[in-house]
Amino acid sequence: MLVIGLTGGIGSGKSTVSNIFTEFGVPIIDADIVARQVVQPGTNCLQQIAQHFGNTILLENGDLDRKALRKIIFNDENEKKWLEALMHPVIRQEIKHQLGSQSADYCILSSPLLIETHQQELTHRILVVDVDEKTQIDRTSNRDSVPREHVKAIQASQLSRKERLSYANDLIDNSVSLQETHAQVERLHQKYLSLSAEYDSTKQR
Ligand code: ADP
């Protein structure tokens, strides 16, 4: 099955665009959701995290204290590397598993760090949702009620706009109205349906 990797910086509009694809019946695998699934209570990953950071990293109900963990890795590059080395292969495996169980014409893997974590290797094309940096900051700080500096720090940990765009096979300019973005998604949906038909016929040959 044809897999489209959907990416973009924080606040660029990935969730907005994913929701529109969902309206067209396209299955979405969201790497952020997978990242939460693999640390559910009872998972090997959560066990290793608790062993490494101590049980104080768990909430009373046994869930991972994501806020506490974010704080640790934000301030300690080595701990961040340790966590990434543990999580990335597990997330990748789970994404592969979920991709394997899809039966639609094509599906979308939505990931803010698609390129940074090499998840694009699991996809056939890269679709970048693009807005300028100021719009990213405006929209995210509005959405999450967080200071602009906070958004800038996350932005700095992601690929630059220019570099991300250099990977794009397809592009959605989301600096426009939601209605116009909807129309862009609809055009891409038609394109992906034709590409998926071509993809399937070459596979059958
Ligand atoms: P991401 O998932 O990439 O972080 P979101 O889809 O959550 O980004 O979009 C960030 C914010 O911007 C949200 O509050 C969303 O409603 C808003 N937004 C997205 N696209 C548009 C648009 N075309 N016009 C106005 N606001 C938008």
Side-chain angles (χ1 to χ4, degrees), residues 11 15 25 48 67 106 164 169 186 190:
S15 309
Q48 291 200 46
K67 207 169 154 190
Y106 74 95
R164 187 181 299 106
N169 300 110
E186 186 161 11
Q190 294 307 330

Side-chain angles (χ1 to χ4, degrees), residues 7-19 32 110 112 129 131 135-136 138-140 142-144 173-181:
T7 194
I10 181 167
S12 57
K14 292 176 298 296
S15 309
T16 304
V17 165
S18 289
N19 289 340
D32 279 344
S110 173
V129 187
V131 294
T135 308
Q136 269 183 279
D138 290 345
R139 288 182 182 168
T140 309
N142 256 331
R143 181 192 61 191
D144 301 341
D173 171 10
N174 190 33
S175 64
V176 295
S177 70
L178 285 172
Q179 204 182 358
E180 285 167 282
T181 292

Side-chain angles (χ1 to χ4, degrees), residues 34-50 62 64 86-87 90 94:
V34 174
R36 287 197 287 272
Q37 289 170 337
V38 299
V39 292
Q40 289 297 309
T43 57
N44 181 270
C45 229
L46 185 59
Q47 207 178 346
Q48 291 200 46
I49 290 171
L64 178 62
L86 170 73
M87 299 271 297
V90 181
E94 179 57 26

Side-chain angles (χ1 to χ4, degrees), residues 13-152:
K14 292 176 298 296
S15 309
T16 304
V17 165
S18 289
N19 289 340
I20 305 171
F21 275 109
T22 305
E23 281 175 34
F24 292 117
V26 181
I28 312 284
I29 292 160
D30 183 328
D32 279 344
I33 295 177
V34 174
R36 287 197 287 272
Q37 289 170 337
V38 299
V39 292
Q40 289 297 309
T43 57
N44 181 270
C45 229
L46 185 59
Q47 207 178 346
Q48 291 200 46
I49 290 171
Q51 254 166 28
H52 184 82
F53 293 102
N55 277 343
T56 49
I57 204 70
L58 301 178
L59 295 168
E60 264 180 27
N61 67 0
D63 280 351
L64 178 62
D65 186 345
R66 304 175 62 79
K67 207 169 154 190
L69 185 60
R70 259 202 306 274
K71 204 167 160 191
I72 295 173
I73 62 168
F74 195 74
N75 293 304
D76 189 328
E77 191 58 29
N78 282 334
E79 295 294 29
K80 184 174 177 218
K81 283 201 179 118
W82 180 87
L83 188 69
E84 284 176 353
L86 170 73
M87 299 271 297
H88 285 175
V90 181
I91 293 171
R92 192 189 180 87
Q93 200 49 44
E94 179 57 26
I95 289 174
K96 269 177 135 172
H97 172 72
Q98 293 190 15
L99 285 172
S101 61
Q102 300 299 326
S103 57
D105 291 321
Y106 74 95
C107 76
I108 289 193
L109 167 61
S110 173
S111 176
L113 300 175
L114 186 82
I115 299 155
E116 291 89 330
T117 59
H118 306 288
Q119 287 165 356
Q120 94 260 23
E121 291 161 10
L122 306 172
T123 71
H124 300 99
R125 292 181 78 79
I126 298 183
L127 166 57
V128 171
V129 187
D130 181 56
V131 294
D132 64 36
E133 288 91 347
K134 182 178 176 300
T135 308
Q136 269 183 279
I137 297 169
D138 290 345
R139 288 182 182 168
T140 309
S141 53
N142 256 331
R143 181 192 61 191
D144 301 341
S145 308
V146 290
R148 300 177 69 79
E149 291 311 316
H150 181 94
V151 186
K152 281 188 194 169

